[in-house]
Amino acid sequence: MPTYKIRGIDVDFPYEAYDCQLVYMDKVIQSLQNKCNALLESPTGTGKTLCLLCATLAWRKSLGDFNTSRTEKGEQVAGSQSLEGLSQSKASKLPKIVYTSRTHSQLRQVIRELKRTIYRPKMVILGSREQFCIHKEVSLLRGSAQNNACRFLCKKGSRRYCSHHNRTANYLKNNLHIGDEPIDIEDLVNIGRQFGPCPYFLSKELHLVVDILFAPYNYLIDPGYRRGLGLNWENSILIFDEAHNLESLCAEAASFDLHPGLLTACISEANNCIDLLSNREHSNEKLSKPEDFAVLRALLLKLQKQISEVPINSKELGFTKPGPYIYELLADLNITKETVSKLIDIIKFAVELLQEDKLQKGLDNACRLQSIIDILNIIFRDNGIAHATFYRVHVQEADTNAADVLKGKASRTLSWWCFNPGIAMQEFSVMGVGSIILTSGTLSPMDSFAQELKLDFPVRLENPHVISSNQIWAGVVPTGPSGYFLNSSYRNRDSLEYKQELGNAIVNIARIVPDGLLIFFPSYYLLDQCIGCWKNMSHGNLTTIWERICKYKKPVVEPRQSTLFQLAIEDYMAKLRDPSTSGAVFFAVCRGKVSEGLDFADFAGRAVVITGMPFATLTDPKVRLKREYLDLQAQSQRQGYKGLKLPVLTGEDWYNQQASRAVNQAIGRVIRHRHDYGAIIFCDERFAHSNRQSQISRWIQPHIKCYSKYGDMVFMLTRFFRDAAISLPTNLKSIKIKDMGNERETQYPLDKSYPEKILTLSAAVDRSYISSSEVKRSNSSSHLEVLPANRSSLSPFQASNLKGSSDLVHYEKKMLHFGRKITQLQNHEVIDLSGNSLLDKKPRKEEAIAPCSIKKRKLLNTELDACISNATEIASGAESSELSYPLYRTCLGKHEKPQISDSRSRLSAEVSALPCKVDGTLQRGDGEFLSQKSEADQSSVSGDEKTKGSSFLIQVKKELSATEYKEFVGFMKALKSKAMKIGHVLQSIADLFSGPERLPLLRSFKDYVPAKYHSIYEQYLPTNG
């Protein structure tokens, strides 16, 4: 396991780190050492979570030992020490790390990453009773009913005392090691079922003595949850992972909407409480008077009347007042900060009474009155009213039918909206928190984040990806096949010409992109409008646009109802597996479930199409009031700055950045790991503007190109996927669903016809330009123009009629999939990144936009690249999978005389005769790929040379596994068939020979590399002898 010294801290990392991972860990440690906040963006697939854990825990370990129950010698501490002893230890006084994420499924993944590290801090994960409870009756309940039942059973003196709760303290006393190894919710539940202690209270007891605590966001955002933790917040470290939605979550958690149906239900429940208490003969409770519930019902009825009498002059605008108006409204009900606590106690007792009655009757135990408690806690937050200035009171007509209005039913919603998400975050500064780290794969644009959360973030990072430039294609398509501008703005989106042009553009994209294609629309409205148009519109009485799309990709449309979402995912996966098609297309919306919670890795998402800017509806009251609030804040700030040009966030800035962030979220569905590849297609002319591109994630920006001609885009996109199918690995087909409660991953083996599909399809589209009589070369472009998709002369492509397509298929059959093997180093050395490290170097201009690749493995030999790039397709007479290539053929070009060292010729001779184990079967002839001489030349190889080559190959087979040896053979076959550049082959072989135990192989293989490429291969050799 390599160790990197970063800012004086030794960080143990499970693998050899990429440059961008080292930069990320450097920023984390900088934030921790300087006790400042950090805003860190790193694309999915760059190992962000692993870097965050390793850097944070390495810094924490540098301050002192972890608070585990074991000594440095590995001996367990005496049981008499107990949790109290651990809580009073020196380690417990050190900063506590609170690691939060949006969902428990995301936290489950974080804990998996923790298990891969060398660090073993004392840890625990917090959750709700719904996730932890193992009581046979209480575990069946939900929400407040479950919480109240649990509290009742845990009361001392209760007739039905919970046995699990009773066993918790004794179990912890005898098992201080709990939490020394990473444990998840399922682990704690299993402990409870096997040994008896309550998992919920087990986690609550442990969280006071741990070094790192894992929990959902609400444990930090919600004041009530935060107070319940009882932690010492001084110098603590707060981490918000997957924080791209944090600002909206903070605002929503501090806001409420009191709908008319909810208020009516609360009035009915208050009335039921009166009847329930009146029928009871005996009650010893202090709050057991029916008069209390009568008062509660009267207050709710008066509130309903007040809301109905608010003057609304415009249904669209509603009724709006400044935030403090809510206190005027409640003061008429005699609800103030002095009386609110008594009212909350009355409602709490009413909730318990109702839930007990429903439980006895076997009815739904949900209680609407609980929402009134939540609303009062928001309004009288921390027993104060100063926060009201960040709010707006809004009353609007709810959607009701005419019958309800005639019956006099309530039809208005009372809202109190928070427009300052920083209200929750600012409290941490007062509490003395050391550092707050916000991180995600898509935080861009960052400016609004810092300004919205009202926190200073001195440390910021927009990290590049670990992929190479040949793994991503990004382009802006301002016009469609007919030259009509693509623009989904409000003024243009309903035009028939726009919808037809977009549909025709998607037809061509669906024809080019292999396997999964994701198409994101700005809204459900535009999605429905376009699909409806495509299904009904056709040209020349031929097939409709929708039918032409379906010819190449089986469609799936994201449903509005969340209950149908899982069925849509299963449908998409089934259509992807269908061997009779070239894949599936998922029509979705930005900010929808598809754009937020799914991992479309590898085949599941080879391209994403953005059809426009997902601006929020301007007439939406919440959006309108948010913009007005920010404009007033910006005006006030400018006056306070007195001429200083400091950044302020206006309503228009926020409006644009929210749309850009939604685009970045959708884009992030593709290219999910180091070996993935895909395309990003912007089908809206507005993305051609520099101000729009500047808000796209930084790692994508260098790759974006604007194609003024649609044909140029089709040509380049076709070439990208054809090259990718040849030179890039294709992993198992998998898709991860992260928002279904439990993350699931489904994998499918590659379909045998998959390479043929890609290459035949790509070749067909590419050849169409050449064969069509209407295609012409442009004087201003070196690329070829393609016929518009709406031209009737564009007939379906038949791959079987194309010259060379069979060659391409034959070519792909000979490719062996490969991948970079990450090897853990046994005897590692400390790599010092302090001082004059790569973090301190200023990149040259040409390097500033280069994507992050594997450390110190950049190909500089442009002459070689140019030579190899001229390699053409395999000759039509090439033979099939046995690979009996003529020995005189080379990978250097048709007319160039190869330059081969004697050592390489020795290896060539031996490799031809050496059997190769592939899939458990010994096969001969797999060594012929190394031959670079004619048959006559081979006869001159001496016996000693053969012996040396044979010895080397035997050593290779001994050190490599069967799979790795197959990869080794495959790389050389690819080199022989001109499928890969020499630089890529040498890099891949160097990866196979990485690690201390294989260092002799890495050095010896240089003898078999042509002399002219020694300078390239030497880049992969260790520099320290």
Side-chain angles (χ1 to χ4, degrees), residues 97-372:
I97 303 165
V98 184
Y99 194 116
T100 65
S101 194
R102 190 163 53 93
T103 64
H104 274 101
S105 62
Q106 291 170 342
L107 288 173
R108 187 179 300 115
Q109 177 62 31
V110 174
I111 293 174
R112 270 195 229 115
E113 294 294 301
L114 177 60
K115 292 178 180 178
R116 296 166 62 187
T117 73
I118 198 174
Y119 298 102
R120 290 297 178 264
K122 190 80 169 180
M123 61 79 65
V124 78
I125 182 171
L126 296 180
S128 64
R129 289 178 172 86
E130 183 176 335
Q131 294 161 314
F132 276 123
C133 184
I134 57 175
H135 191 280
K136 62 180 181 179
E137 295 177 5
V138 180
S139 61
L140 301 177
L141 304 177
R142 291 295 179 266
S144 57
Q146 187 179 52
N147 294 334
N148 291 331
C150 176
R151 294 188 187 103
F152 176 77
L153 292 178
C154 292
K155 286 182 180 178
K156 291 183 178 179
S158 174
R159 295 178 181 177
R160 301 173 60 195
Y161 193 71
C162 177
S163 60
H164 298 293
H165 179 262
N166 191 34
R167 298 175 189 174
T168 303
N170 188 57
Y171 180 82
L172 274 177
K173 182 179 179 181
N174 297 317
N175 295 274
L176 292 176
H177 65 278
I178 300 297
D180 289 358
E181 291 291 325
I183 51 173
D184 200 354
I185 287 178
E186 289 78 6
D187 299 320
L188 289 171
V189 169
N190 290 335
I191 288 174
R193 287 173 176 164
Q194 186 174 358
F195 301 106
C198 172
Y200 177 76
F201 286 101
L202 200 62
S203 67
K204 286 183 71 68
E205 290 290 330
L206 280 172
H207 90 270
L208 295 173
V209 299
V210 296
D211 301 298
I212 183 168
L213 173 67
F214 296 92
Y217 285 159
N218 57 320
Y219 279 84
L220 292 182
I221 295 173
D222 188 280
Y225 278 110
R226 192 168 60 240
R227 283 193 296 269
L229 291 177
L231 298 178
N232 177 18
W233 298 100
E234 190 72 25
N235 295 323
S236 59
I237 307 303
L238 309 185
I239 296 174
F240 292 88
D241 198 359
E242 301 298 335
H244 49 270
N245 287 329
L246 183 61
E247 54 178 342
S248 60
L249 290 174
C250 287
E252 289 171 6
S255 306
F256 71 81
D257 293 294
L258 181 56
H259 299 283
L262 176 60
L263 184 53
T264 301
C266 290
I267 294 171
S268 177
E269 287 183 346
N271 196 56
N272 291 341
C273 288
I274 298 174
D275 297 337
L276 287 173
L277 209 57
S278 299
N279 295 333
R280 283 192 175 187
E281 296 181 0
H282 304 287
S283 178
N284 297 324
E285 298 287 347
K286 296 180 181 179
L287 299 175
S288 59
K289 295 181 293 185
E291 293 82 2
D292 291 332
F293 300 130
V295 170
L296 174 61
R297 181 184 62 180
L299 289 175
L300 295 175
L301 284 169
K302 190 173 182 181
L303 176 61
Q304 188 181 60
K305 182 180 179 182
Q306 282 183 319
I307 296 172
S308 66
E309 293 176 348
V310 166
I312 297 180
N313 299 323
S314 169
K315 184 176 180 180
E316 182 178 332
L317 297 177
F319 172 85
T320 303
K321 287 285 186 180
Y325 177 77
I326 194 73
Y327 300 110
E328 297 180 28
L329 199 66
L330 295 180
D332 292 340
L333 306 177
N334 196 30
I335 301 176
T336 65
K337 64 179 182 179
E338 288 79 18
T339 63
V340 70
S341 59
K342 183 177 180 181
L343 177 61
I344 289 177
D345 289 339
I346 292 174
I347 299 175
K348 283 182 177 179
F349 180 72
V351 169
E352 292 179 7
L353 189 65
L354 288 167
Q355 289 177 343
E356 182 181 341
D357 179 65
K358 290 181 179 182
L359 190 62
Q360 291 176 355
K361 296 178 180 179
L363 302 175
D364 176 21
N365 52 54
C367 188
R368 307 300 185 273
L369 276 171
Q370 181 64 44
S371 62
I372 302 298

Side-chain angles (χ1 to χ4, degrees), residues 457-491:
F457 290 94
V459 179
R460 299 190 187 189
L461 174 66
E462 292 181 74
N463 230 354
H465 213 297
V466 294
I467 61 171
S468 303
S469 59
N470 66 332
Q471 294 173 253
I472 178 175
W473 187 99
V476 180
V477 189
T479 63
S482 299
Y484 188 89
F485 280 99
L486 298 174
N487 189 313
S488 67
S489 63
Y490 180 78
R491 290 174 294 181

